[in-house]
Amino acid sequence: MSATETTRRRLHPAWIVAAVAFLALVGAAGFRAAPGVLMVPLQQEFGWSTTVLSAAVSINLVLFGLTAPFAAALMERFGIRTVTATALVMIGAGSALTVLVTESWQILLTWGLLIGLGTGSMALVFAATIANTWFSKSRGLVIGILTAGSAAGQLVFLPFIAILAQDPGWRQASLLIAAGALAVVPLVLKFLKNSPADVGALPYGETAPEEGTAESAAAPAVESGRSSNAAVRALQVLKRASKVRTFWALVAGFAICGATTNGLIGTHFIPSAHDHGMPETTAAGLLAVVGIFDILGTIASGWLTDRYNPKILLAVYYQFRGIGLLVLPLLLSATVQPSMIVFVVIYGLDWVATVPPTAAICRKTFGADGSVVFGWVFAAHQVGAAAAALGAGAIRDATGQYTYAWFGAAAMCTIAAVISATIRKDAGAKEPVPVGAA
């Protein structure tokens, strides 16, 4: 048996890296489920307003987004493993320190600053970086699987957070989140390699005869990143990308995506359901079901992205989401009706199905800069999420309900669908961005 045949029979190391990356995303996702569940207990204990707690979530979401492009560049400069392990430690520390808060400004530091920086370094750009560095084929599928890791984290943690928040209390729920993040660190340090070259392999999908070109094409950004400051590289990529119309179309669409997922449903669905008399554990269970179908929807979206026009997929995803938000105020009640189950399933399938096609457009249009560009697009996602989290909280305090927030989000989804459908198919060819330019 030849060496080539033996290599083909072995599991490619890219899949081991992808598996560990999936677990890391699961561990980092614990806090993603927390604000909606912990908001009511914190209000009951400290008397803080919805706006104050929404502000903490907004800081978290802004940092979550703005850290992402710099994290992508840092991964190129210092390695994926080091940045990922550090991020998980920050998430664990921020969640653990939350149990000591007594003043509202302290929750801004733990929920906002520490966890925001940590989760930002483990944002969806991490999935794009893994896929672009380790895979030359099936990138869409891999990004879909890794993105589903965040949904899996929500699925794993959310029911337990909801139960612990009621008895014995929200502090124990915070410690569970910390433990989940820290438990993955040893696996990351041992198995999450920085690049195929570290294990003497080519990216998955490349063959030995193409070695000379494959290695230079697999991760050119890594080499350029190591020779320059990570922050400077991130800003240089932003400057180049900002001259391309496709970048702004993706920024606008992804900002609306963040507003209608993390910012609105992720933060305010449970408090809104509680307003209608639904128990928090029941509402948390519904969000867990969203997480289940998010896994299926995101993986399916990755598969579709490898086969169909990603801009059309984005338009369809956004429009279906808008329809769901439009009818949501009619579905909320003290008990779970069949119509609510239908909403949860559809919204779950659509939750972050937008990530694989968005990442694919970034890669196609911006080449080696694609991962960092996706980081900036993701930053817009989180700015949109932060604005929605704060805005919906203010609407709730001003009107006593969330109805206007749901309707406004539905309208924004239609706008995102139109923007996505009009992305120029040949944008990459007509508006090239210099790859690896200093």
Side-chain angles (χ1 to χ4, degrees):
M1 182 180 295
S2 68
T4 302
E5 292 175 335
T6 302
T7 301
R8 287 176 179 172
R9 290 178 180 272
R10 289 202 308 261
L11 178 67
H12 194 283
W15 293 110
I16 298 175
V17 170
V20 175
F22 180 91
L23 293 176
L25 286 165
V26 170
F31 182 78
R32 300 278 297 280
V37 177
L38 301 184
M39 193 172 289
V40 173
L42 283 167
Q43 286 177 316
Q44 292 173 342
E45 179 170 337
F46 297 107
W48 299 334
S49 69
T50 303
T51 302
V52 167
L53 292 172
S54 296
V57 176
S58 294
I59 293 172
N60 173 280
L61 293 173
V62 168
L63 289 176
F64 189 8
L66 294 181
T67 304
F70 297 97
L74 286 171
M75 287 179 185
E76 295 173 358
R77 176 66 179 85
F78 297 105
I80 299 172
R81 177 171 52 194
T82 299
V83 175
T84 303
T86 302
L88 289 167
V89 170
M90 292 183 71
I91 295 168
S95 187
L97 289 173
T98 299
V99 304
L100 304 178
V101 302
T102 57
E103 302 290 340
S104 59
W105 65 267
Q106 294 168 342
I107 204 75
L108 302 181
L109 294 180
T110 54
W111 276 21
L113 183 62
L114 273 177
I115 299 179
L117 290 173
T119 53
S121 299
M122 283 291 297
L124 297 181
V125 68
F126 172 63
T129 301
I130 292 290
N132 290 340
T133 301
W134 281 90
F135 293 83
S136 289
K137 72 175 183 179
S138 302
R139 283 193 180 118
L141 178 61
V142 172
I143 291 175
I145 293 172
L146 293 182
T147 303
S150 294
Q154 176 177 307
L155 170 64
V156 169
F157 287 102
L158 186 53
F160 296 103
I161 293 172
I163 293 171
L164 289 175
Q166 287 196 340
D167 185 19
W170 65 268
R171 290 178 176 81
Q172 285 72 19
S174 295
L175 292 176
L176 172 65
I177 298 167
L182 296 175
V184 190
V185 174
L187 293 175
V188 168
L189 293 175
K190 183 171 179 61
F191 295 108
L192 191 64
K193 306 301 182 181
N194 292 322
S195 71
D198 290 349
V199 292
L202 293 173
Y204 179 76
E206 293 288 354
T207 56
E210 299 176 343
E211 184 175 1
T213 58
E215 288 185 349
S216 60
V222 173
E223 294 305 318
S224 64
R226 287 175 180 166
S227 62
S228 63
N229 181 277
V232 171
R233 168 161 164 72
L235 293 173
Q236 289 173 337
V237 170
L238 174 62
K239 181 179 179 180
R240 292 194 291 271
S242 65
K243 300 175 182 178
V244 182
R245 184 181 304 173
T246 298
F247 172 75
W248 293 110
L250 293 174
V251 162
F254 231 41
I256 293 171
C257 178
T260 53
T261 52
N262 303 101
L264 193 55
I265 295 291
T267 305
H268 293 287
F269 177 80
I270 293 177
S272 180
H274 184 266
D275 287 345
H276 287 78
M278 183 180 292
E280 293 169 51
T281 52
T282 302
L286 290 174
L287 277 187
V289 174
V290 169
I292 294 174
F293 284 93
D294 182 15
I295 296 171
L296 299 176
T298 308
I299 294 174
S301 178
W303 184 85
L304 291 170
T305 299
D306 288 331
R307 291 161 175 79
Y308 299 101
N309 190 332
K311 75 171 187 176
I312 300 303
L313 294 177
L314 285 176
V316 172
Y317 296 158
Y318 285 130
Q319 193 55 66
F320 267 99
R321 186 180 300 175
I323 294 171
L325 287 167
L326 187 64
V327 301
L328 179 58
L330 305 176
L331 308 180
L332 288 167
S333 65
T335 58
V336 179
Q337 303 297 324
S339 55
M340 176 58 77
I341 298 298
V342 173
F343 168 83
V344 165
V345 170
I346 294 176
Y347 216 84
L349 291 172
D350 198 291
W351 184 261
V352 285
T354 55
V355 172
T358 301
I361 294 173
C362 286
R363 178 73 187 188
K364 180 179 179 181
T365 306
F366 301 100
D369 287 339
S371 293
V372 180
V373 171
F374 182 70
W376 284 111
V377 173
F378 181 75
H381 182 281
Q382 295 309 110
V383 170
L390 185 59
I395 288 172
R396 168 62 177 80
D397 285 340
T399 67
Q401 58 185 359
Y402 286 98
T403 302
Y404 292 125
W406 304 131
F407 287 161
M412 288 193 297
C413 284
T414 298
I415 294 172
V418 173
I419 291 173
S420 299
T422 55
I423 291 176
R424 290 168 56 178
K425 183 177 180 180
D426 57 348
K430 291 188 176 182
E431 301 174 282
V433 174
V435 173

